[in-house]
Amino acid sequence: MIQQDYFRLMKVATAYRESKILLVANDLELFTILSHQSMSAENLALKLQVEPNPLSILMNALVAMGFLSKEKEHYRNTGISDKYLVQGKLDYMGHFLKQSHIRWNQFNHLAESLQPGYAPIQTFESIDEERRFTHSWIWGLDNLGHNAAASIAQSLDLSGVRRMLDIGGGAATYSIAFAKRNPELICVLLDLPVALEVARENIKRHGLDDRIQTMEGSYWKLDFGTDYDAVWMSNILHGLAQEENENLMAKSANALLPDGRLIVHDMFFTDDSHTNPYYPALFSVQMLAHHGKSRCYSLKEVQEWMIRAGLSNVRRTTLDSGFDLMAGSKI
Ligand SMILES: C[S@@+](CC[C@H](N)C(=O)[O-])C[C@H]1O[C@@H](n2cnc3c(N)ncnc32)[C@H](O)[C@@H]1O
């Protein structure tokens, strides 16, 4: 075997080590503690109430991975961990990492998801645990999306849009970005109750309570109304089966005013072969393990659903910021 192939196989086969080391360190809030000072493994172990020797082995690996540096026996954050893994910082990604760690258990059932009749395994032991996970997940999505949302809001022309429905709006990441960019805009954020707990806190944090309203409940059950200039759907498709997406699009199209438009965004569109780009191709497998029915979709598939939902001028737009959207109008 060529040496390059050997190393590639080894790297992929053992990638779980890197993931687990980083995810455990993030769960311990190790980077948050080290943001204020450099520390020895002994002192940090005292603070974390763990054993110093195993902790030093973990931290040495984090040095090797570039998330810590070590001078004599003292460890400190590197640029990347200090920017993204310290609680309270603007670019904090720790929530996203925490929910990735929780997803780990679901991903363990990947082999079963290939069997007929697979139903995703419920991994929460209590309602409280599920609530904690949902909070972490929704904040994680905000970690992941707030920069993208700001740049989409900057390049998406919403002139003439006064009321926008944000379906499955999560932490209100996109509604916040749109409301900030468009001072006349009122957003209605629809989501499930626990997700809205996070959204309300985020909306308040941004001082937008007067312009982002919430609609609590399931998008399958709620009556959306019919008075929206735009319906925004972001990162919803990859969690739903094909026929569910078609149903949701038809329901969304009905919520539009005669000159309104449905705008669909997803961080994880694939190309028509579903093998590219790399991240969505792999994320599809994760969705399969989680939901047993969904995957990432191509822009062409989304376009077909929108046309079947009765929308016209259904077109892909690549924004200046590089993000792809699919939009269609009621007339
Ligand atoms: C992947 S997140 C996307 C959140 C947000 N749109 C974004 O792009 O950051 C999917 C969202 O759909 C919401 N959701 C899932 N099932 C739902 C349902 N039946 N009714 C309403 N919202 C739902 C979730 O709570 C979550 O906020």
Side-chain angles (χ1 to χ4, degrees):
M1 190 189 296
I2 305 169
Q3 213 180 25
Q4 214 181 359
D5 293 342
Y6 174 84
F7 282 120
R8 167 138 177 77
L9 271 176
M10 284 297 289
K11 188 168 171 14
V12 175
T14 60
Y16 65 88
R17 290 183 195 148
E18 290 183 358
S19 307
K20 194 71 171 181
I21 291 166
L22 180 64
L23 296 175
V24 166
N26 179 66
D27 282 355
L28 289 170
E29 294 296 354
L30 193 143
F31 304 105
T32 302
I33 297 170
L34 287 177
S35 76
H36 308 296
Q37 56 199 317
S38 70
M39 279 175 100
S40 66
E42 283 75 20
N43 285 340
L44 193 62
L46 266 178
K47 207 168 171 83
L48 295 171
Q49 300 190 324
V50 297
E51 287 294 316
N53 284 341
L55 183 65
S56 70
I57 295 173
L58 184 87
M59 288 169 77
N60 289 338
L62 287 162
V63 174
M65 288 160 67
F67 294 113
L68 291 180
S69 65
K70 184 179 181 185
E71 211 176 291
K72 300 218 166 103
E73 291 312 312
H74 279 73
Y75 298 85
R76 64 170 64 244
N77 287 345
T78 55
I80 184 171
S81 52
D82 213 55
K83 183 168 163 62
Y84 294 109
L85 299 175
V86 172
Q87 268 213 33
K89 290 208 173 178
L90 188 69
D91 291 313
Y92 182 61
M93 294 272 295
H95 290 299
F96 177 74
L97 268 69
K98 282 178 192 169
Q99 64 95 15
S100 293
H101 203 178
I102 298 168
R103 300 263 191 211
W104 185 292
N105 293 334
Q106 292 169 312
F107 208 52
N108 273 338
H109 297 282
L110 175 60
E112 291 142 54
S113 72
L114 305 178
Q115 299 296 330
Y118 169 71
I121 315 289
Q122 175 55 265
T123 48
F124 303 111
E125 303 220 321
S126 65
I127 292 182
D128 214 41
E129 190 190 324
E130 184 167 7
R131 185 162 170 266
R132 274 200 304 277
F133 166 77
T134 304
H135 278 197
S136 181
W137 175 47
I138 299 293
W139 278 122
L141 291 169
D142 193 58
N143 288 166
L144 197 66
H146 73 273
N147 285 329
S151 74
I152 288 175
Q154 207 166 14
S155 38
L156 179 64
D157 182 6
L158 290 179
S159 46
V161 176
R162 282 175 304 270
R163 264 173 78 74
M164 175 186 257
L165 177 64
D166 183 356
I167 295 186
T173 312
Y174 290 88
S175 283
I176 288 169
F178 293 143
K180 279 188 173 169
R181 180 79 187 164
N182 303 276
E184 304 298 314
L185 180 68
I186 299 290
C187 295
V188 178
L189 183 90
L190 184 160
D191 212 307
L192 299 170
V194 182
L196 285 186
E197 290 171 7
V198 173
R200 290 188 185 111
E201 193 181 324
N202 207 13
I203 292 165
K204 199 167 178 183
R205 209 168 63 158
H206 288 270
L208 288 165
D209 311 54
D210 55 335
R211 291 203 293 122
I212 305 179
Q213 303 158 1
T214 53
M215 192 192 280
E216 187 171 303
S218 170
Y219 43 55
W220 301 126
K221 296 197 178 136
L222 287 170
D223 178 355
F224 295 170
T226 52
D227 58 346
Y228 295 96
D229 302 296
V231 173
W232 170 257
M233 211 189 271
S234 160
N235 296 316
I236 300 300
L237 309 180
H238 58 250
L240 299 176
Q242 190 156 329
E243 55 283 8
E244 290 177 324
N245 280 320
E246 290 204 45
N247 291 339
L248 195 54
M249 291 207 173
K251 191 167 175 183
S252 304
N254 281 334
L256 291 168
L257 287 164
D259 55 351
R261 60 193 151 128
L262 170 63
I263 312 168
V264 177
H265 163 254
D266 205 296
M267 298 277 264
F268 310 119
F269 285 126
T270 65
D271 69 5
D272 293 347
S273 76
H274 306 298
T275 61
N276 268 307
Y278 185 79
Y279 193 93
L282 270 63
F283 190 60
S284 275
V285 182
Q286 193 168 3
M287 289 296 97
L288 173 71
H290 291 176
H291 301 294
K293 59 181 180 182
S294 66
R295 60 172 167 82
C296 297
Y297 299 96
S298 68
L299 281 153
K300 194 167 153 212
E301 289 174 297
V302 178
Q303 187 176 36
E304 283 164 10
W305 302 333
M306 287 172 83
I307 292 169
R308 281 206 283 274
L311 294 164
S312 31
N313 296 317
V314 181
R315 283 203 201 103
R316 167 189 186 160
T317 309
T318 303
L319 299 174
D320 293 345
S321 43
F323 292 98
D324 282 317
L325 305 176
M326 188 62 74
S329 51
K330 186 107 183 219
I331 44 168

